[in-house]
Amino acid sequence: MKFTTPLYELFQDEQRNRIFIKRDDLLPDSLGGNKVRIAEAFFRDMEERDCDALIGYGDIRSNLCRVLASRCYQKKIPCYIICTGGDGEGHGETANSWIMKLSGAKLVPCRKTEIRETVEKLMSRLEGQGFRPYYIYGNSLGRGNEGVAAGAYVPVYREILEQGRALGAAFDFLFLPSGTGATQSGLVCGHLLEGDPARIVGISISREKERGTGIILEGVKEYFAGQGRKLPANAGEEVILEDGYRRGGYGCCDKEILECIRRVYLRTGVPMDPTYTGKAFLGMCSYIRDHKIQGKNLLFLHTGGTPLFYDAVSSGIFTAEE
């Protein structure tokens, strides 16, 4: 899918920084978001491998699982989502999990300690039924497809640079929510190929810095290897992941995140969510303050999560006065 999403200046902050936003939440399929691009990369790889059933994995809040389920329905591909329930391993309901079910995906409840075993059992069962299943993360250990997912965002980086030039703005920093790390891996790859001076800062919404950085760098390495390119010597230096703004980890939220979502929506009309974009946007603002950044051009990549925004709305984030 080729679609250029809007990029524009959102506001200027008190430190004279120009804050821009790229609206990948407006990608025109499955309620948008970065996972639309990543899902399409998985489907291309799945077709090349001649597979005919898809297995996804994620939390009940997962934007990727929502998109996979929707696209599988459209493509008439059997879809199975191995689904963890987040805090306390409960398996509740979110707008994303509801859409997964609406799309006909079969949700397979799983504890985080049983992912490998669950993947292997499901793969074996589907193979026994005559299917050629495709697990989005490669093998049962979650390894093997890092380069595939990263490849989805390599051309987007070039798109960002072109849009910045059209606006007369060279970006000094690019911020984004970093969860699985695939989007950041792709942006880093694009950055290395283009050789521009911007700093890409992933705001971790879940993983600790050491583990998350390793996963992002693995995606970069796999992409370059798959393209037959030599990995630049400075690749490791370009992977910047900040884990100090996680607010308790994946799916954890507090009043400050909700207030940030409310404020951004009321002032700009841009919806964000507590799990991904709202937490990362607040993290970006904190990073700007903590690092005393002034007079720079900063870009925030809005990676989607619209259904989770409505989950947040129903929790009452608009009750406070402006």
Side-chain angles (χ1 to χ4, degrees):
M1 180 188 68
K2 175 62 177 176
F3 189 84
T4 301
T5 53
L7 189 158
Y8 56 91
E9 186 169 351
L10 198 61
F11 58 81
Q12 293 191 33
D13 68 12
E14 296 177 353
Q15 292 75 40
R16 297 177 292 104
N17 296 303
R18 298 174 69 190
I19 310 297
F20 294 79
I21 189 168
K22 182 166 176 63
R23 298 288 303 276
D24 266 15
D25 59 313
L26 298 179
L27 282 166
D29 199 353
S30 306
L31 293 172
N34 62 326
K35 297 307 193 294
V36 172
R37 299 187 193 272
I38 291 173
E40 287 307 303
F42 284 139
F43 283 117
R44 286 193 297 271
D45 188 54
M46 179 181 177
E47 183 176 354
E48 290 174 3
R49 298 188 187 193
D50 194 31
C51 296
D52 57 7
L54 182 138
I55 299 174
Y57 161 72
D59 184 88
I60 57 172
R61 305 171 185 86
S62 172
N63 291 321
L64 176 57
C65 290
R66 178 197 80 232
V67 175
L68 290 172
S70 296
R71 295 296 283 138
C72 277
Y73 180 87
Q74 294 164 14
K75 293 173 178 289
K76 297 181 172 56
I77 296 172
C79 180
Y80 297 80
I81 302 295
I82 296 172
C83 202
T84 54
D87 302 338
E89 299 285 7
H91 293 84
E93 194 79 74
T94 67
N96 275 344
S97 64
W98 183 85
I99 292 171
M100 294 176 215
K101 295 176 182 178
L102 176 69
S103 302
K106 295 179 174 60
L107 271 58
V108 181
C110 173
R111 291 184 176 275
K112 292 180 180 178
T113 56
E114 301 170 350
I115 298 169
R116 178 180 179 180
E117 178 184 357
T118 304
V119 170
E120 291 175 350
K121 286 183 177 180
L122 184 54
M123 291 281 286
S124 178
R125 177 160 66 85
L126 290 174
E127 288 169 353
Q129 295 172 356
F131 288 103
R132 298 180 298 279
Y134 177 91
Y135 180 45
I136 61 169
Y137 292 121
N139 61 26
S140 61
L141 295 175
R143 304 292 299 276
N145 275 10
E146 294 87 351
V148 173
Y153 265 82
V154 175
V156 178
Y157 194 81
R158 189 176 306 112
E159 179 181 302
I160 287 171
L161 294 183
E162 291 172 353
Q163 289 179 298
R165 284 192 287 269
L167 293 171
F171 299 117
D172 300 292
F173 291 87
L174 192 165
F175 292 88
L176 74 153
S178 195
T180 64
T183 301
Q184 188 169 352
S185 291
L187 292 173
V188 170
C189 289
H191 167 67
L192 291 169
L193 292 171
E194 295 294 330
D196 71 296
R199 290 171 62 83
I200 300 171
V201 181
I203 302 297
S204 177
I205 53 92
S206 56
R207 290 170 174 155
E208 294 181 353
K209 183 174 183 177
E210 182 176 358
R211 179 168 179 253
T213 299
I215 291 172
I216 294 166
L217 184 57
E218 188 64 27
V220 174
K221 292 178 179 177
E222 289 297 322
Y223 176 79
F224 273 85
Q227 296 293 309
R229 294 175 177 269
K230 182 179 179 180
L231 183 72
N234 64 328
E237 301 170 7
E238 298 300 326
V239 177
I240 304 171
L241 183 68
E242 290 292 331
D243 66 355
Y245 311 114
R246 293 179 298 153
R247 303 295 177 112
Y250 185 84
C252 296
C253 182
D254 59 26
K255 291 182 179 180
E256 194 172 1
I257 294 172
L258 293 177
E259 171 58 20
C260 178
I261 295 169
R262 186 189 69 85
R263 185 172 62 250
V264 171
Y265 179 75
L266 291 178
R267 292 180 179 178
T268 71
V270 177
M272 296 184 179
D273 73 277
T275 301
Y276 304 100
T277 50
K279 179 180 290 190
F281 194 88
L282 179 61
M284 177 188 72
C285 295
S286 299
Y287 184 98
I288 292 170
R289 182 186 64 248
D290 295 344
H291 290 79
K292 298 180 172 58
I293 298 172
Q294 298 181 355
K296 301 297 184 181
N297 292 328
L298 314 175
L299 175 65
F300 181 78
L301 176 62
H302 192 315
T303 56
T306 300
L308 300 177
F309 167 75
Y310 289 110
D311 283 342
V313 169
S314 67
S315 73
I317 66 171
F318 292 133
T319 55
E321 294 183 1
E322 175 65 14

